[in-house]
Every structure is written in structure tokens, then in C-alpha cells.
Amino acid sequence: MSEPIRTSDRPVRQWRGLTIPDPGTYELDAAHKRVGFVAQHMMVSPVRGEFARAAATVVVGEDPLDSSVTAVIATESLTTHHDDRDTHLRSPDFLDVAQFPAMEFRSTGVAWRGEQDAILQWARLRNHNADRRRVSSATIERADRNRMKFDVTGDLRIKDVTRSVTLRMDFGGARRDPYDRDIFGFHAVTDIDREDFGLVWNVALEAGGWLVGKKVRIEISGEAVHQV
């Protein structure tokens, strides 16, 4: 495994061709975050919502694959920008925020998808490109994007149920911001079946299907700031 190489002029390192943050503890920046979700309504249209209050801590390891993440989301802060719907989602039919004021995530492992994706990309190139000596700029750009991808596996607790999920994370890069803070950015998604977490309320539609989709996509994005 390649060792991270420290740079001398900024608080970041090089690891497998990526610029990554130095080891340490990073907190999700409240001013640059989104913790949201998407679910289907009437089987035809997406409904988007978010949680206004959430906190996350990322401990970046000397080996970035030894890093860890913990997050706590205030369920009462849910909003879909529709009062009646929000009241229902906060009720015992769904999140039951009075009894369960928080959802939690604790990571159990981090894996880098970049190496495998890059190998597959080059294999496809070799199999389909008649002139193997030439590599298009688009192919190189796709390979670079693939190297920025990680899988963060962990335990997600909603209400009184805990399940293992995998967040597919796109790493956005690391740098020092204008306020002399060391930061890195990310965007992560995971798809869950809400019924696995006891959120089983629904109404069957006469034409078939359900009023509220069972599959929910969770989206988390933002910047994390190094804690001194």
C-alpha cells in the first residue's frame, strides 16, 4: 500500500494520486452542508426533503482508509416545505420524533473504489479502442473522477432499528479556505428500504402501487473543517 506523501507548503498530502487532508478531526461545517432525502409519491414523482440540524465528525487517519465518521441528525428538523406533510412525517406513522429525536450513523469501514474503477476503465478501453496507443481526454477525465470515489460502510440507526448501509462517497478535494481553515468537501448517497427501519405506513393505490415509495435515497454533502 502506498504511503501518503506530505506536501511542504499546504496542509494536505498526496495519496495514490489524490490530494487528501492531513490526519486529524474534522467537523461538518453548518454553513456548507445538506442532509437530505428523496422518496417517490404516488409512484410517479420525487419528493425531496432535508434535515436542517445535523452534526458529523470525521477522523482522518494516517492511512485514509483507517478514517471514521459519526453523524447525528435531529429528526424534528425535517422539512419538505409542506406543513401538513412534515407533520405527518414527524408523527409515529414515520419518524416519531417525540420518542426518537435523533438518527445516528457510525462508520465501520472505508474502501477506495478508485483503483478498481480505473482498472475496469482501462480494460474497456483496451477491448473497444482499435488504436490502443491513443487515449481520449474524456477517458482520462472519467478515470480521474473514478479515483475520487470511496465506500463508507456503517451502522445507521433510525428509530430503534439499526442496519448496515454503505454510503457511496465522492471526495471533492482538500485545501485551505480564505479564513485559514483546512477543509475538504464530499458528497455521499445511500439507498434504503424504509420498511427495514420500521417506517411501514402506506396506502395502497387503486391503480396499483403505493402512495409513498418504500425506497428512500439519503444524500449528504458539505465541507468538513479541521479542528485545532
Side-chain angles (χ1 to χ4, degrees):
M1 178 179 296
S2 60
E3 294 293 329
I5 301 173
R6 295 184 185 278
T7 60
S8 59
D9 59 344
R10 58 185 187 272
V12 293
R13 305 172 284 167
Q14 295 297 311
W15 178 82
R16 301 186 184 185
L18 294 178
T19 299
I20 64 171
D22 263 351
T25 299
Y26 294 73
E27 299 285 347
L28 184 63
D29 186 0
H32 299 92
K33 69 168 178 61
R34 182 179 185 274
V35 180
F37 60 90
V38 184
Q40 288 294 111
H41 177 251
M42 295 286 291
M43 309 296 291
V44 297
S45 64
V47 171
R48 298 181 181 275
E50 60 186 286
F51 296 90
R53 296 197 305 279
T57 300
V58 181
V59 179
V60 176
E62 286 285 350
D63 180 342
L65 300 184
D66 291 334
S67 302
S68 63
V69 182
T70 58
V72 179
I73 300 166
T75 54
E76 189 274 335
S77 69
L78 174 149
T79 178
T80 64
H81 305 288
H82 187 281
D83 290 343
D84 290 342
R85 179 168 56 219
D86 293 349
T87 297
H88 191 196
L89 290 174
R90 295 187 190 114
S91 77
D93 283 343
F94 288 96
L95 291 176
D96 194 0
V97 303
Q99 185 173 356
F100 302 101
M103 298 187 294
E104 296 183 1
F105 175 82
R106 294 182 179 275
S107 67
T108 56
V110 178
W112 184 48
R113 285 196 283 143
E115 187 170 35
Q116 180 180 11
D117 285 350
I119 291 172
L120 291 174
Q121 183 68 44
W122 287 109
R124 285 193 292 269
L125 175 69
R126 288 177 59 84
N127 289 334
H128 294 96
N129 190 351
D131 184 359
R132 295 176 182 175
R133 294 170 301 176
R134 301 183 62 186
V135 180
S136 71
S137 60
T139 297
I140 295 173
E141 183 178 354
R142 285 194 297 271
D144 286 343
R145 288 200 303 266
N146 287 339
R147 286 168 43 226
M148 307 287 278
K149 298 179 182 295
F150 292 81
D151 286 336
V152 181
T153 301
D155 295 326
L156 175 64
R157 181 175 65 82
I158 301 178
K159 298 177 76 170
D160 56 352
V161 178
T162 301
R163 302 279 187 183
S164 179
V165 301
T166 297
L167 289 164
R168 303 181 297 279
M169 188 190 82
D170 289 338
F171 172 63
R175 63 179 59 213
R176 177 161 286 174
D177 73 5
Y179 304 100
D180 207 32
R181 304 181 306 174
D182 303 333
I183 66 170
F184 69 88
F186 67 93
H187 174 74
V189 300
T190 190
D191 298 304
I192 66 170
D193 185 329
R194 63 184 177 86
E195 292 189 346
D196 290 343
F197 293 89
L199 309 179
V200 297
W201 184 93
N202 224 328
V203 174
L205 302 175
E206 290 185 5
W210 301 94
L211 179 66
V212 182
K214 298 180 182 182
K215 300 296 182 181
V216 178
R217 169 159 290 189
I218 298 173
E219 304 172 329
I220 304 173
S221 61
E223 296 175 5
V225 182
H226 186 240
Q227 305 299 294
V228 180

